[in-house]
Amino acid sequence: MRITKAAIWTAGALALAIGLAGLAPAEASPMKREGAVVAQQGPTDLSAQSRRRRSPTRLRVYREYDYPGPNATRQCVAHYEQEYRQAGTVIVPRMRCWWQRG
């Protein structure tokens, strides 16, 4: 058990040392290369994303409203209609209402 843990630790340390040794100081900064023109990189995907949420756009709807007066009454007409649905034809109630000056 101890030998297995020691072998895993040794292999991990060796892989880390090889990875760090392969990164030379000249390769660490591409802007410092001699004779090469390197363009600066733009923002990364994570930095380009905005973290704050925008508030939803609010629309105001103004409809023409005619005040019917204090003695107005509401008039309604009700009837039944056929609706064609996927399960079959059904009969549903409909109602249309409006204000009428009294």
Side-chain angles (χ1 to χ4, degrees):
M1 188 74 150
R2 289 182 187 173
I3 296 173
T4 306
K5 286 183 182 179
I8 292 173
W9 277 98
T10 305
L14 182 61
L16 181 63
I18 292 173
L20 291 177
L23 183 63
E27 292 177 0
S29 175
M31 297 300 291
K32 293 183 180 179
R33 291 185 198 164
E34 293 183 45
V37 178
V38 179
Q40 290 183 348
Q41 293 179 350
T44 63
D45 288 340
L46 292 177
S47 65
Q49 294 177 359
S50 177
R51 292 288 180 201
R52 62 183 177 153
R53 291 183 61 176
R54 292 180 58 178
S55 62
T57 305
R58 295 184 183 194
L59 299 175
R60 290 188 179 181
V61 178
Y62 297 100
R63 63 181 180 144
E64 200 171 306
Y65 182 72
D66 187 24
Y67 180 66
N71 296 327
T73 58
R74 189 171 183 199
Q75 302 293 324
C76 295
V77 174
H79 63 281
Y80 292 101
E81 283 185 0
Q82 287 185 352
E83 276 191 7
Y84 303 99
R85 298 185 181 175
Q86 194 172 12
T89 305
V90 294
I91 297 175
V92 293
R94 297 283 184 206
M95 184 178 287
R96 188 175 71 92
C97 296
W98 65 92
W99 288 99
Q100 189 173 24
R101 292 184 179 163

